Amino acid sequence: MTIWGPLAYHRDVATILERENPVAFRSLYPTVPTGELEQVLLRQTYRVDPVAHAEVHAAVQRAADALGVVLPIEIYVDERGQGSAAELVFVPDRAVLVLSGGTLNLLDTEELCAVAGHELAHHVLWTADDGRYLAAARLLDAAESDARSPSEYLETARRYRLATELVADRGGMLACGSLTTTVSGLVKVVTGLAKVDSAAYLRQAAEVDYSVPSSGSTHPETVLRAWALQEWAERGPGADAMVAAALGPQLDLAVLDVLGQDRLAEVTRSLVWMLVADDAVRSEEALDLARRFGVVVGGTPVITDMPTALGAETRTYLAAVLLDFATADDEGGADDLGAVLALARRVGLGDELLTMIGAELDLGDRAMARVMASADAPRAVR
């Protein structure tokens, strides 16, 4: 039994995709392929015989044992491959690794164990929980080829691939038991260099600002992968949240994934709950608007504090929600605007709401002064 497993990102995304696409999701679970794959491999690769290449098979078997992979293992070298590369060709009932000749020539046996562990970790992930993470990956791949797919599905597909590569890297480290060996194998395959200083590369990785998320489309930047491995080596599962944050901006309306979309809906409903808890904005019009947001008047909020790390577009969107409530009652006037502005200040959206009031409402100086006075007045909150 191994402690290795999918990240929370994989579990959460799979849950949402299955909830939103139950029939399609179930249809994409793993199936055993026909014999066509074998013919392609026989025609286009060199099969690495376990007797003639005993060291290669021994290194790969070590990785399989570390990851709990108890399947037949087949290793091939792609005749067409240039440079260095390694790939798992996924089939459920065996582990098929396709390498380039350059990869085998670059790596020592320990590094080969790490690289093989990375590829075998893909197999472990795709077969975990009856294949639900592979089903999620296939659904997201299909979404990318459909022009009708919403943008949050496209962003989720990108982050899901990055998360998959990171969790496979962690499998490589588990396979060989060494952070530095895993990093040297990774950097050799990516760069083609025959000699790599892992310690120096990890020092380089520590200098990068990871508050700027990855822009990778299929793999995270190599330096981010090395940094994530070191974080996991030092912190264990405690590094998961930090690593996940490095894959993409959180709650940024411009680049939401499906998790961010769900989270933003929670934030919006809780903001609306705070609004209707204020006696000054409990008009029938405001309460009706709250119900359309899915808020149960008199219920409890999903969250009680607004997140601090919000993108500019997200902050503008939330300010627009506040303004909708401030103007829901045509007769509300300065009191409703003031009450909403007071709440906006409490949750850190005061500047955005003032900007929107100035842009959207034709208020004179005297009317604006009344709004500001109302915002400054004490009020009871339920």
Side-chain angles (χ1 to χ4, degrees), residues 20-360:
E20 295 184 353
N21 313 274
V23 176
F25 192 90
R26 296 298 304 178
S27 72
L28 294 171
Y29 272 60
T31 55
V32 177
T34 64
E36 182 180 351
L37 172 63
E38 283 75 8
Q39 288 301 310
V40 171
L41 290 171
L42 289 172
R43 286 177 177 272
Q44 299 179 356
T45 70
Y46 168 78
R47 184 166 55 196
V48 180
D49 183 80
V51 175
H53 301 277
E55 285 192 355
V56 173
H57 276 267
V60 174
Q61 188 61 52
R62 276 184 53 210
D65 292 343
L67 289 167
V69 175
V70 287
L71 295 169
I73 296 174
E74 300 172 10
I75 307 170
Y76 300 86
V77 175
D78 191 349
E79 295 176 359
R80 304 162 301 163
Q82 300 296 317
S84 51
E87 178 186 6
L88 174 84
V89 179
F90 178 75
V91 288
D93 59 347
R94 62 193 189 282
V96 179
L97 273 62
V98 179
L99 310 172
S100 70
T103 299
L104 290 180
N105 292 333
L106 278 176
L107 305 177
D108 63 27
T109 55
E110 292 298 309
E111 292 164 340
L112 178 58
C113 178
V115 170
H118 173 104
E119 299 307 327
L120 292 172
H122 282 287
H123 197 287
V124 176
L125 180 63
W126 294 154
T127 53
D129 293 344
D130 296 324
R132 65 184 285 100
Y133 307 115
L134 177 63
R138 287 174 170 174
L139 193 151
L140 291 169
D141 287 344
E144 284 192 301
S145 62
D146 189 337
R148 298 168 298 176
S149 296
S151 61
E152 62 270 15
Y153 267 61
L154 305 182
E155 177 63 13
T156 304
R158 184 188 75 86
R159 296 192 200 185
Y160 198 85
R161 280 193 297 269
L162 304 191
T164 297
E165 293 304 321
L166 290 181
V167 82
D169 286 342
R170 192 167 65 173
M173 184 165 63
L174 176 62
C176 72
S178 168
L179 167 64
T180 55
T181 298
T182 308
V183 171
S184 63
L186 168 63
V187 177
K188 280 185 177 183
V189 170
V190 170
T191 65
L193 290 171
K195 183 178 180 180
V196 169
D197 185 337
S198 297
Y201 194 69
L202 287 167
R203 290 194 297 272
Q204 175 184 334
E207 298 176 22
V208 176
D209 177 9
Y210 297 104
S211 66
V212 178
S214 173
S215 59
S217 58
T218 61
H219 292 68
E221 295 82 352
T222 307
V223 71
L224 188 157
R225 296 170 70 179
W227 166 81
L229 283 169
Q230 182 155 36
E231 291 297 318
W232 273 318
E234 294 177 353
R235 303 170 186 264
D240 286 359
M242 184 186 305
V243 172
L247 298 181
Q250 307 301 300
L251 287 180
D252 187 337
L253 196 64
V255 280
L256 281 180
D257 63 352
V258 294
L259 300 187
Q261 185 181 50
D262 263 22
R263 177 65 171 166
L264 185 57
E266 290 180 353
V267 169
T268 305
R269 286 194 297 271
S270 293
L271 183 63
V272 171
W273 181 89
M274 293 180 210
L275 279 167
V276 297
D278 192 319
D279 283 330
V281 286
R282 290 178 65 84
S283 67
E284 284 303 316
E285 293 82 359
L287 296 177
D288 182 61
L289 184 57
R291 294 185 189 99
R292 281 185 270 157
F293 274 95
V295 172
V296 177
V297 179
T300 57
V302 180
I303 57 176
T304 56
D305 296 310
M306 289 296 104
T308 55
L310 297 174
E313 290 191 32
T314 307
R315 297 177 70 84
T316 299
Y317 154 74
L318 292 173
V321 171
L322 291 170
L323 187 60
D324 283 345
F325 277 85
T327 57
D329 183 0
D330 292 338
E331 299 179 0
D335 285 341
D336 278 5
L337 274 173
V340 173
L341 179 56
L343 174 63
R345 289 172 174 171
R346 293 203 303 272
V347 299
L349 295 169
D351 290 343
E352 286 78 11
L353 182 57
L354 279 173
T355 298
M356 189 160 287
I357 289 173
E360 300 293 331

